[in-house]
Amino acid sequence: MKALVKAESRPGLWLQDVPEPRIEADEVLIKVLRTGLCGTDLHIQNWDPWAQKNVPVPMVTGHEFCGEVVEIGAGVRDVAVGDLVSGEGHLICGRCRNCRAGRRHLCIKTRGLGVHVPGAFAEYVKLPATNVWVHRDITGTTDLDVLAIFDPFGNAVHTALSFPVVGEDVLITGAGPIGCMATAIARQVGARHVVVTDVNVDRLALAKKMGATRVVEVSKEKLPDVQGELGMKEGFDVGLEMSGNPRALSDMIDNMAHGGRIALLGIMPGAAAVDWNKVVFNMLTIRGIYGREMYESWYAMTVMLQSGLDISPVITHRFPYSEFEQAFAVAASGESGKVVLDWEQ
């Protein structure tokens, strides 16, 4: 089969012929239809220090996808050939304390699809049946491109729903695709104001399209002024940090209400400074977010789409998989939302 492979320990990905996966009794084989490009994929392509440390070579990359089940193992009961599915890309051990307690997203031995095990940038991918999400309730009502980005959509859901937001004022720092999806989610579930900050005007325009009350180009405007404009008197109730930028986190902390709550998804530099006195004296709560809750986030994604949530505007570019180099360039440019590869072309 054709697959995008990190074939050598240097920058680049290569479209190669590799063997089709062979499934075990508890696994399913999926014909890939669409895949989404993620920041992780860009790290692997660029072969930065994180990728060099974590990704064995050779490796079929990619973890955001949707596809059709074409084969099931002898022990599989809840997935059928012909099902339209997406996949949870965190493969867990099932035996550690958190797994046994039902907190599978906290598994201490998590392996990543397309990072530690062969991934979905390929004509076929295999997964344990327990990692397969069947789109029984929305098949035919949601396009394949949207189903392909359930993985980052789940990150946005996990982050945005970490704290109650009904009637609250929400600050989102970082207008990348996940920040933009979180914007739509916060509005869907009843936030009063959703303010989104970034330095990229194209992405701020996308955040506005996704429902932001106000977008803020931080090089030109200050958050206290925006609060005044919106009639806010005591700061933001909930912060969703999506940028991984220490200055954005600092601005967020400065503009939170006393007792405010921050969900931290963006990955900060290791030495990012925080004024902990402000956290302590303002009694702020900071919660780290990783991946999706398995599988509560997946359920929430499905029912929100059923209830009318539209995340399709966040998908701005589509390419056949053979044009992956152009797709990766667009994704890295900062002038796009989600980029999708079509594996049927």
Side-chain angles (χ1 to χ4, degrees), residues 58 73 100:
R100 290 167 66 90

Side-chain angles (χ1 to χ4, degrees), residues 280-334:
V280 171
F281 287 107
N282 295 344
M283 294 185 66
L284 303 181
T285 298
I286 299 178
R287 176 182 294 173
I289 305 295
Y290 177 63
R292 298 144 300 281
E293 289 187 302
M294 298 163 61
Y295 287 86
E296 185 63 20
S297 295
W298 291 80
Y299 176 79
M301 287 184 263
T302 298
V303 297
M304 281 193 286
L305 291 176
Q306 290 173 331
S307 301
L309 178 66
D310 182 12
I311 63 167
S312 61
V314 81
I315 303 170
T316 58
H317 294 77
R318 298 162 175 84
F319 296 89
Y321 75 88
S322 59
E323 298 178 10
F324 72 93
E325 291 177 323
Q326 184 179 353
F328 271 78
V330 168
S333 71

Side-chain angles (χ1 to χ4, degrees), residues 151-170:
D151 178 296
F153 180 26
N155 291 345
V157 166
H158 189 185
T159 309
L161 302 185
S162 292
F163 303 109
V165 297
V166 176
E168 304 283 51
D169 295 322
V170 179

Side-chain angles (χ1 to χ4, degrees), residues 51-128:
Q52 294 175 37
K53 180 180 178 181
N54 287 280
V55 181
V57 174
M59 176 60 63
V60 177
T61 56
H63 59 277
E64 300 178 7
F65 77 96
C66 73
E68 180 183 343
V69 175
V70 294
E71 184 182 350
I72 62 173
V76 175
R77 297 291 180 267
D78 297 326
V79 182
V81 171
D83 281 344
L84 183 61
V85 301
S86 296
E88 167 57 60
H90 289 165
L91 281 65
I92 60 171
C93 74
R95 299 180 299 276
C96 69
R97 176 182 176 183
N98 280 314
C99 283
R100 290 167 66 90
R103 300 184 294 265
R104 290 175 284 187
H105 62 290
L106 297 176
C107 174
I108 196 170
K109 298 180 180 179
T110 299
R111 296 175 298 153
L113 183 70
V115 177
H116 306 110
V117 299
F121 286 164
E123 293 182 282
Y124 295 92
V125 64
K126 72 172 184 177
L127 273 178

Side-chain angles (χ1 to χ4, degrees), residues 145 149 177 202-203 206 209 311-319 330-331 333 335-340:
D145 294 347
I149 64 168
D202 293 324
R203 288 190 162 177
L206 184 56
K209 189 174 183 179
I311 63 167
S312 61
V314 81
I315 303 170
T316 58
H317 294 77
R318 298 162 175 84
F319 296 89
V330 168
S333 71
E335 298 177 359
S336 70
K338 287 300 295 182
V339 177
V340 170

Side-chain angles (χ1 to χ4, degrees), residues 18 20 62 64 84 101 130 142 176 189 213 271 280 336:
V18 302
E20 289 185 13
E64 300 178 7
L84 183 61
T130 53
T142 302
V189 300
T213 310
V280 171
S336 70

Side-chain angles (χ1 to χ4, degrees), residues 169-173 195-197 223 236 238-240 251-252 255:
D169 295 322
V170 179
L171 173 62
I172 299 177
T173 48
V195 175
V196 182
T197 70
L223 280 171
F236 290 92
V238 175
L240 310 177
D251 285 347
M252 177 174 280
N255 285 275

